[in-house]
Amino acid sequence: MEKANIKLIANNKKAYFDFFIEEEYEAGVALHGTEVKSLRMGKCSVKESFIRIENGEVYVYNMHISPYEKGNIFNKDPLRVKKLLLHQAEINKISGKVAQKGYTLVPLQVYFKGSLVKVKVGLARGKKLYDKREDIAKKDQRREAEKDFKVKNLY
């Protein structure tokens, strides 16, 4: 996998804060032409989106792709349900884990890999409030340490 070929479109920072990400999968997305053009302009949001497995197929809900300005009648609904493209073996593996208590699927990133639009899907377990507080405390400690290090190197 070449790093130079990947162009990030949208990132879901909230997912990393609200969930422990156990595994990550790369999935393609079934899109229409004007949606791809809109993505090329970076008009996408995955903050409120979630993923469900229905009838052996994976769908992403609430992934907002803004309508393409020059698209007129060909534009699709920005919040329409989009199908994710995964191998059947991966879908079976994921659905088995999602059936366990506390696991869910969340979109982590939307990006171009070459000319293809990909979604990084995370198998996630929800965090409790005290876990979130712990993360905030760690982040504050790291920030303080970096600040102290910067001050020491200044003189």
Side-chain angles (χ1 to χ4, degrees), residues 61-137:
Y61 292 82
N62 288 352
M63 183 170 130
H64 190 277
I65 298 176
S66 299
Y68 183 58
E69 291 110 42
K70 301 176 183 110
N72 59 38
I73 60 167
F74 299 110
N75 281 335
K76 298 290 179 188
D77 177 30
L79 288 175
R80 85 180 172 86
V81 179
K82 293 152 191 77
K83 183 178 177 182
L84 293 182
L85 309 171
L86 284 159
H87 290 285
Q88 194 62 48
E90 285 180 314
I91 294 172
N92 294 339
K93 182 180 174 186
I94 293 170
S95 62
K97 291 188 177 179
V98 168
Q100 293 177 18
K101 186 173 178 267
Y103 281 102
T104 186
L105 285 172
V106 289
L108 302 174
Q109 292 178 337
V110 179
Y111 55 92
F112 278 107
K113 188 174 181 182
S115 63
L116 305 174
V117 179
K118 300 286 185 178
V119 175
K120 187 183 282 186
V121 176
L123 182 67
R125 191 168 35 89
K127 285 186 182 179
K128 302 280 189 257
L129 184 61
Y130 56 84
D131 290 328
K132 292 179 188 179
R133 287 184 185 143
E134 214 173 89
D135 281 355
I136 292 170

Side-chain angles (χ1 to χ4, degrees), residues 35-49:
E35 289 176 321
V36 177
K37 289 180 179 184
S38 187
L39 284 173
R40 289 213 181 277
M41 295 168 67
K43 309 251 183 189
C44 179
S45 171
V46 288
K47 278 189 172 57
E48 300 297 318
S49 57

